[in-house]
Structures are given as structure tokens and as C-alpha cells.
Amino acid sequence: LVQSQKMEMVGQLTGGLAHDFNNILAGIIGALNLMKRRVGEGRVDELSKYMDAALTSAHRAASLTSRLLAFGRRQSLDIKPVDVAAAIASMDILFGRSIGENIKLNMRLDPAIAMTDAHQLEAAILNLVVNARDAMPDGGEIAIETKRAVGDSLVSIVVSDNGDGMEMDVLAKAFDPFFTTKPIGEGTGLGLSMVHGFANQSGGDVRIMSTPGRGTIVTLLLPAASEAPAEEEVAKVVVERGAGETVLVVEDDPQVRMLVVEVLSD
């Protein structure tokens, strides 16, 4: 049974990867082929839109890779004391644009400082809020709450909604990569898996409870910090310009090496 479940998981992961990257590569390769053809014809006035199309697809690939790294706990985190309440409060305008006018947002943010990566934390919270929004197509209410928990050793961030909720079989697969109940093209199935990977890599955990027809509660637990966040200092950047010096580029991929050398030469 365990082996069967493992193979099902691997099949779902590889199938999702192949599907998403196939669409992304189609956008990149198609745009590059058209650019090459237009340059050969001397029609360079149309190159800009093909470049934009290729870059858009490439950014989608980078975003997908970032989510996969988060799920696999292999991303690079800048862990330091973060004022969780302040970070979430600063996202208020972004939340408003993401959830729409038919959903009410309540935030109860008690002071809490966690050891985590500020940018990945914001991405995780936004993922949870968007998931909650999608569970309430007819409107509803989302609540975000922060507090110290479990003997003050952990910081608790709770995102809850009163939406559709999930059945037990769906809940069991909620953190699986590429598992989604959304229609094709409307979800990657990587949102919750990214949150799960981020929480574990930060030394915390994520828990989910859901009742069909009554809503979902996701609790993100992160290690509490023993000190306050340091005030950021604006450093003066001094650009040193060399003369007659040599830069050694070490890169095993020939395409990447060529591009790096071109950029450095420019």
C-alpha cells in the first residue's frame, strides 16, 4: 500500500511537472523561433512582443521552480527575526486587490516575532488567502490571526474562512504537489505544498482542519524569535570600475556561460 501510494505521488508530481513545463516551453520556443524568422526576414519591428512572450513564459518557469524548491525544502531562506504582525498588516492593500469586494477580511494581529524568511512568509500567507478566496465563490469572510503559541516557543498564524470546506479524501491530499480541485488552468496545485515545505524548512509546521460546508482553518507555526528584528540600514553602494583586469567565468552549461560572458562584457 505504501509503495502504491508512493508511485501515485511520483506519477502525479512528474505528470504535473511535464504538463506545466510543456506549456511554458511552448511559449519560449515558439517566441524564439518567430524572432529568428523575423530577423532573417529583416522585420525587426515586431521582435518586442515575441521577447515579452518568451520572458513571461520564463518568469512562469522561475515561479514554478521556486514553488517546487519550497515543497522540497531546498530553497534558500534568509532566516532572521521577522515582525509577523507588521509583515501581514503591510499586505492589507494586496489582500484587498486579491480577494475582491464580496469577501470581508478580518485581521487580529497580536505582536509576534518569528525566525523566518520575510519574503517567503508573505508569499505563503498570500497563497493561503487566495485559497480561502477561491473556496468562497459567492463571498464570505476570511480571518487572519497571529499570536504566540505552545509555551511561547512558536508563533501561530491562522488563516480561516467560512467557505465550501473539504471532504476527508480531498483534505488527505491537500499538501500533495499538483493536487488541485480547481478547473484546468486555474490552479497549479502547488500553493499548499509550497506553504508546507516553507514551514518545515523554517523549523515549524502547518496544520489544516476543514469541514464541508463550514470552512477551512490553516495554522502556520513558526519558531519564535528571542530578539527583535534589526533595523535595516541603507548602505552606500560604491561601484568599483577596474581597468585591464580579467574576470574568470566558471559555468558548466554552455548556454548559460555564453549569456553570462555577454552580460559581463557589456
Side-chain angles (χ1 to χ4, degrees), residues 27-28 31-32 35 49-59:
I28 296 174
L32 290 174
M35 288 165 62
K49 65 179 180 181
Y50 301 134
M51 292 178 185
D52 290 340
L55 279 173
T56 298
S57 292
H59 287 310

Side-chain angles (χ1 to χ4, degrees), residues 155-168:
V155 168
S156 168
I157 305 166
V158 181
V159 179
S160 59
D161 66 70
N162 57 358
D164 296 336
M166 289 179 273
E167 299 286 350
M168 285 300 297

Side-chain angles (χ1 to χ4, degrees), residues 19 21 29-30 50 83 100-101 106 118 212 214 222 231 241 250 253-254 263:
H19 174 77
F21 271 109
I29 294 171
Y50 301 134
D83 188 333
E101 297 179 353
N106 289 323
R214 297 184 62 181
L222 297 171
E231 293 185 8
R241 300 187 178 277
V250 181
D253 187 298
V263 170

Side-chain angles (χ1 to χ4, degrees), residues 75-240:
Q75 63 182 340
S76 177
L77 295 182
D78 181 18
I79 293 181
K80 58 186 178 183
V82 175
D83 188 333
V84 172
I88 295 175
S90 69
M91 299 174 68
D92 186 44
I93 295 177
L94 180 58
F95 290 147
R97 291 174 179 170
S98 301
I99 64 178
E101 297 179 353
N102 64 337
I103 295 177
K104 183 180 179 181
L105 178 64
N106 289 323
M107 292 196 289
R108 299 184 292 274
L109 308 177
D110 292 341
I113 301 173
M115 290 297 295
T116 187
D117 182 299
H119 297 297
Q120 292 298 329
L121 171 65
E122 291 175 359
I125 299 301
L126 185 59
N127 260 310
L128 295 178
V129 169
V130 169
N131 276 351
R133 175 204 68 189
D134 293 343
M136 300 183 291
D138 299 322
E141 183 174 329
I142 299 173
I144 305 176
E145 181 181 358
T146 63
K147 60 183 178 181
R148 294 290 288 265
V150 193
D152 286 343
S153 63
L154 294 172
V155 168
S156 168
I157 305 166
V158 181
V159 179
S160 59
D161 66 70
N162 57 358
D164 296 336
M166 289 179 273
E167 299 286 350
M168 285 300 297
D169 58 333
V170 174
L171 189 61
K173 297 181 178 180
F175 294 123
D176 291 0
F178 294 106
F179 174 78
T180 180
T181 57
K182 298 175 185 177
I184 294 175
E186 292 187 18
T188 63
L190 284 173
L192 283 177
S193 62
M194 180 275 254
V195 175
H196 183 271
F198 159 69
N200 278 269
Q201 192 175 355
S202 297
D205 194 11
V206 60
R207 301 165 185 173
I208 184 168
M209 295 186 298
S210 189
T211 305
R214 297 184 62 181
T216 301
I217 301 173
V218 180
T219 302
L220 180 61
L221 298 169
L222 297 171
S226 58
E227 57 187 47
E231 293 185 8
E232 295 186 4
E233 297 181 0
V234 180
K236 294 183 179 179
V237 179
V238 179
V239 180
E240 296 184 4

